[in-house]
């Protein structure tokens, strides 16, 4: 490599770029802890990043133990007993991991391992105008159908991140980045040590704390998963079959049902060599014709129509309804106590929140072509808005006029915290 990868990670420029990415992602986090940590680090950021750079360059930086967060898995709104083992590291650790990620993705010798036309998750946008992420995966599947695929089979790798063989990935990275100090930092960055092991109790086995597995929540994990499955991608796309992969979700497309079944069997056999297997409940029992209704990445393929699946549509309506219900409850409570409504639950803030929910959802599914379904969702949301405004009007008519602006979320000048200056006292001349 022309430049020293370790020095690149330690450089202030790399850490600043990594911080901007971490800060940007943190703004949209649903975790109060994450947002609070971001806010705290934002104070005197320059000084903190210079300190981090200094400690890294002198091998004095230590990754402190992270926190394991077992998020219950749900099926039809009910807990299944399983958990998603999310690992939350501190801000400095996440910045260093992100800086390492940028070095690895810029390493030419590694690109063949994670840049291929059939893998779409956890990657940078390849070029302006190119489909990437979920839209890219859906577009690739449609292309395969257009080229003659008649049957599809979908599958999901069970506990994927927990089963990634770190030694295999480390060997590949070490061959591409022969720098001892960088590799030492890299290995520490993908090692999972938890501060709350006792608190996790029986759920601790869900976390990758041994030699096998990487942490969900570590920005390096998707890249390591792609490197691990690079050979899988090549094998699965030989001949007349295609296999589209998004991290641990795959879709096999083949010219016959028999070919699709054979390719699914080959996938199982290869994954077994890595100690991995498909999730029975998320894997096709048998291939189905492309004219049939099938799902991939939360998208429903319906013989010419593309739309968000039923679960996603239902979650959208429930999210909007919940935002309105919380606001209305705050209105009612304020009317009873003659108090003010918290600004984040006021009318204006709630409408902005719902607007954000709708914009985010709509942009995620911007490639879908089922306009009828979108119109039906708009109609349902409009009904919720009308109901919300009606409930607001009822409370407003009964509320003290002094509360109106609180309900709306418009500040009252007299209530804003002030630090008034004192008029100086004058003394009369003798």
């Amino acid at each position: 490599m022309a430049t020293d990868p370790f020095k690149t990670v330690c450089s202030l420029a790399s850490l600043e770029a990594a911080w901007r990415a971490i800060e940007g992602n943190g703004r949209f986090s649903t975790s109060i802890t994450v947002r609070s940590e971001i806010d705290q680090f934002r104070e005197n950021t320059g000084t903190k990043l210079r300190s981090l750079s200094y400690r890294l360059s002198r091998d004095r930086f230590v990754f402190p133990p992270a926190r394991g967060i077992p998020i219950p898995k749900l099926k039809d709104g009910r807990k299944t007993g399983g958990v998603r083992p999310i690992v939350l590291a501190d801000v400095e650790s996440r910045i260093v991991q992100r800086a390492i990620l940028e070095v690895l993705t810029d390493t030419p010798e590694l690109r063949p391992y994670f840049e291929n036309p059939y893998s779409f998750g956890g990657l940078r946008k390849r070029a302006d105008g190119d489909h990437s992420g979920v839209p890219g995966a859906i577009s690739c599947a449609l292309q395969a159908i257009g080229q003659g695929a008649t049957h599809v089979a979908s599958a999901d790798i069970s506990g994927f991140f927990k089963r990634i063989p770190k030694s295999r990935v480390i060997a590949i990275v070490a061959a591409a980045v022969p720098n001892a100090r960088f590799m030492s930092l890299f290995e520490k960055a993908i090692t999972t040590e938890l501060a709350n092991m006792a608190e996790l109790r029986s759920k601790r086995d869900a976390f990758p704390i041994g030699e096998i597995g990487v942490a969900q929540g570590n920005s390096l994990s998707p890249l390591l998963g792609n490197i691990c499955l690079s050979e899988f991608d090549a094998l699965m796309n030989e001949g007349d079959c295609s296999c589209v992969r998004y991290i641990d979700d795959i879709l096999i497309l083949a010219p016959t049902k028999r070919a699709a079944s054979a390719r699914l069997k080959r996938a199982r056999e290869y994954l077994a060599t890595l100690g991995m297997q498909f999730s029975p409940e998320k894997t096709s029992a048998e291939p189905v014709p492309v004219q049939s209704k099938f799902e991939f990445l939360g998208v429903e393929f319906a013989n010419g129509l593309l739309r968000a699946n039923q679960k996603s549509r239902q979650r959208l309506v429930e999210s909007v309804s919940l935002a309105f219900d919380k606001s209305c409850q705050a209105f009612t409570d304020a009317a009873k106590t003659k108090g003010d409504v918290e600004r984040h639950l006021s009318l204006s803030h709630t409408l902005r929140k719902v607007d954000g929910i709708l914009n985010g959802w709509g942009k995620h599914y911007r490639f879908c072509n089922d306009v009828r379904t979108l119109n039906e969702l708009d109609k349902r949301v409009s009904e919720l808005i009308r109901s919300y405004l009606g409930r607001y009007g009822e409370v407003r008519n009964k509320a003290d006029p002094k509360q109106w602006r609180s309900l709306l979320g418009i500040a009252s000048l007299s209530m804003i915290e002030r630090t008034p200056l004192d008029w100086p006292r004058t003394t009369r001349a003798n």
Side-chain angles (χ1 to χ4, degrees), residues 6 45 53 66 99 128 130 134 141 197 199 212 219 234 236 266 272 300 305 338-339 374 406:
F6 180 78
T45 303
S53 174
D128 289 340
D130 282 358
V134 173
M197 286 290 289
E199 178 186 327
I212 303 295
S219 59
M236 294 298 292
R266 183 189 292 188
E300 191 174 273
L305 294 176
K338 304 299 182 181
L374 295 178
S406 170

Side-chain angles (χ1 to χ4, degrees), residues 141 145 152 154 251 253 288-296 299-303:
I145 293 173
V152 300
S154 59
L251 186 72
L253 303 106
V288 299
V290 296
Q291 293 85 4
S292 302
K293 187 184 297 184
F294 65 94
E295 294 183 12
F296 181 53
V299 177
E300 191 174 273
F301 292 66
N303 194 25

Side-chain angles (χ1 to χ4, degrees), residues 102-119:
E102 293 304 314
V103 168
L104 293 179
T105 52
D106 285 336
T107 301
E109 293 82 359
L110 275 179
R111 286 178 183 167
Y113 287 95
F114 59 82
E115 287 187 353
N116 73 67
Y118 304 102
S119 173

Side-chain angles (χ1 to χ4, degrees), residues 207-227:
F207 292 84
I209 55 178
E211 292 301 315
I212 303 295
V214 294
Q216 283 186 261
N218 187 328
S219 59
L220 287 161
S221 296
L223 176 68
L224 304 191
N226 285 328
I227 292 174

Side-chain angles (χ1 to χ4, degrees), residues 126 133 159 165 232 401 406 422:
R126 288 161 182 163
F232 172 86
S406 170
D422 293 328

Side-chain angles (χ1 to χ4, degrees), residues 225-274:
N226 285 328
I227 292 174
C228 177
L229 292 182
S230 59
E231 188 176 274
F232 172 86
D233 292 333
L235 178 68
M236 294 298 292
N237 285 284
E238 290 178 347
D240 55 2
C241 294
S242 298
C243 177
V244 184
R245 183 175 63 83
Y246 189 97
I247 307 294
D248 54 356
D249 288 297
I250 71 170
L251 186 72
I252 294 172
L253 303 106
T256 65
K257 180 178 180 180
R258 182 176 180 180
S261 295
R263 193 56 54 104
L264 189 60
K265 179 182 178 182
R266 183 189 292 188
R268 284 195 176 95
E269 292 172 347
Y270 181 89
L271 291 174
T273 67
L274 299 177

